[in-house]
Amino acid sequence: MPARILVAEDDVKQAQLIRIYLAREGNDVQVVADGRSAIERARSTRPDLIVLDVMMPNVDGLDVCRILRAESQVPILLLTARSTEEDMLLGLDLGADDYMTKPYSPRELTARVRALLRRSRAAEGARADVLTAGDLEIDTARFEVRVAGDHVPLTGKEFAILALLAQEPGRVFTRAQIIDRVFGFDQNVLERTVDAHVMHMRRKLEKGRPGARYVETVYGRGYRLAADGAGR
């Protein structure tokens, strides 16, 4: 199914290459060349997915990611020339769903876009159901999470991990199981990437709730959702 995709890339040749490959898939691709335009276009057109370069004029990609993530759950794929673990974790912390380092293969980028769209649509088309554990509510149809009635904004992968754990509160899911069910085709995902997503998810769920621990670490095995919602 065609998607509306916004590409924010100030390198004209790179932007054109991305547009060509994504358009071949039948997608409606729009291109902007700076961060401020990316924010304005995302707000006005509500794309299904955003491909976002980190190094852009006016407003850099990380700030764009932070601003847009506070407003919506649109899947965001970051493109960066920085390849350190710290840069990757920063992007995930700000709400990116996936990232690629330059130089990259346009075919791999297209495959990652397809995977992100597939997971996003699966979440949107899921059966109207609310998973609950204590004061934690996960609405799989509306793609929303609430704690004690307060909305908690999560990234796509954070939501997918939490929804997986919430299917069976108390059950331990290994990192390998999480990678298989949440990241799908991307077999290069490291276990520490799962750890990073869980860490950021915990911060959001537990903000302003001292002592709460919704997602528990079972050392040497993996993660589980506390059976009562908030383990202590």
Side-chain angles (χ1 to χ4, degrees), residues 9-10 17 28-29 34 44 46 49 69 74 77 84 87 97 112-114 133 138 161 184 205 207 212:
E9 167 66 79
D10 64 328
L17 184 63
D28 175 12
V29 184
D34 65 86
S44 63
R46 299 180 64 83
L49 181 140
R69 177 55 70 233
V74 60
L77 171 61
T84 66
D87 291 321
D97 295 277
R112 288 183 182 241
V113 165
R114 282 198 304 266
I138 305 166
I161 293 172
L205 293 174
K207 184 177 181 180

Side-chain angles (χ1 to χ4, degrees), residues 34-36 39 52-67 82 94:
D34 65 86
R36 184 171 296 119
I39 295 171
L52 182 62
D53 183 34
V54 170
M55 301 297 290
M56 288 192 298
N58 296 329
V59 182
D60 72 23
L62 293 178
D63 282 333
V64 173
C65 182
R66 174 180 55 80
I67 292 169
R82 305 166 180 170
L94 291 174

Side-chain angles (χ1 to χ4, degrees), residues 26 69 91 95 109 117 172:
R69 177 55 70 233
L109 183 146
L117 288 171
V172 178

Side-chain angles (χ1 to χ4, degrees), residues 2-218:
R4 298 186 309 277
I5 299 177
L6 175 62
V7 176
E9 167 66 79
D10 64 328
D11 184 306
V12 176
K13 290 184 178 180
Q14 288 293 319
Q16 179 69 357
L17 184 63
I18 295 171
R19 189 195 67 77
I20 290 172
Y21 270 81
L22 294 180
R24 285 177 181 172
E25 302 272 305
N27 299 303
D28 175 12
V29 184
Q30 300 183 46
V31 177
V32 295
D34 65 86
R36 184 171 296 119
S37 296
I39 295 171
E40 294 173 352
R41 191 69 62 86
R43 287 171 172 169
S44 63
T45 65
R46 299 180 64 83
D48 297 307
L49 181 140
I50 299 174
V51 178
L52 182 62
D53 183 34
V54 170
M55 301 297 290
M56 288 192 298
N58 296 329
V59 182
D60 72 23
L62 293 178
D63 282 333
V64 173
C65 182
R66 174 180 55 80
I67 292 169
L68 294 180
R69 177 55 70 233
E71 301 175 357
S72 77
Q73 297 297 325
V74 60
I76 297 175
L77 171 61
L78 277 183
L79 303 178
T80 176
R82 305 166 180 170
S83 58
T84 66
E85 181 179 3
E86 289 75 15
D87 291 321
M88 178 271 289
L89 294 178
L90 178 58
L92 295 176
D93 193 21
L94 291 174
D97 295 277
D98 201 355
Y99 77 99
M100 296 185 69
T101 56
K102 298 179 179 181
Y104 53 82
S105 161
R107 293 179 62 189
E108 181 182 356
L109 183 146
T110 303
R112 288 183 182 241
V113 165
R114 282 198 304 266
L116 287 173
L117 288 171
R118 186 164 58 247
R119 288 195 289 271
S120 176
R121 285 166 174 167
E124 291 175 358
R127 178 174 59 91
D129 197 8
V130 178
L131 305 174
T132 62
D135 61 359
L136 176 64
E137 297 181 352
I138 305 166
D139 190 326
T140 58
R142 297 184 178 180
F143 203 64
E144 294 178 352
V145 174
R146 292 184 177 82
V147 175
D150 296 329
H151 177 256
V152 179
L154 299 181
T155 68
K157 285 194 174 67
E158 290 167 359
F159 182 90
I161 293 172
L162 183 60
L164 173 63
L165 301 181
Q167 289 176 11
E168 297 182 62
R171 172 188 168 181
V172 178
F173 287 83
T174 67
R175 292 172 177 81
Q177 289 172 326
I178 293 173
I179 290 172
D180 180 62
R181 300 195 190 187
V182 172
F183 295 85
F185 82 97
D186 190 355
Q187 298 302 311
N188 294 318
V189 172
L190 302 176
E191 290 190 350
R192 65 188 182 189
T193 302
V194 174
D195 295 337
H197 283 295
V198 171
M199 178 182 67
H200 302 320
M201 177 175 60
R202 278 176 170 162
R203 288 177 181 172
K204 298 173 184 178
L205 293 174
E206 298 163 10
K207 184 177 181 180
R209 301 172 179 85
R213 177 65 77 180
Y214 294 92
V215 177
E216 300 175 330
T217 300
V218 180

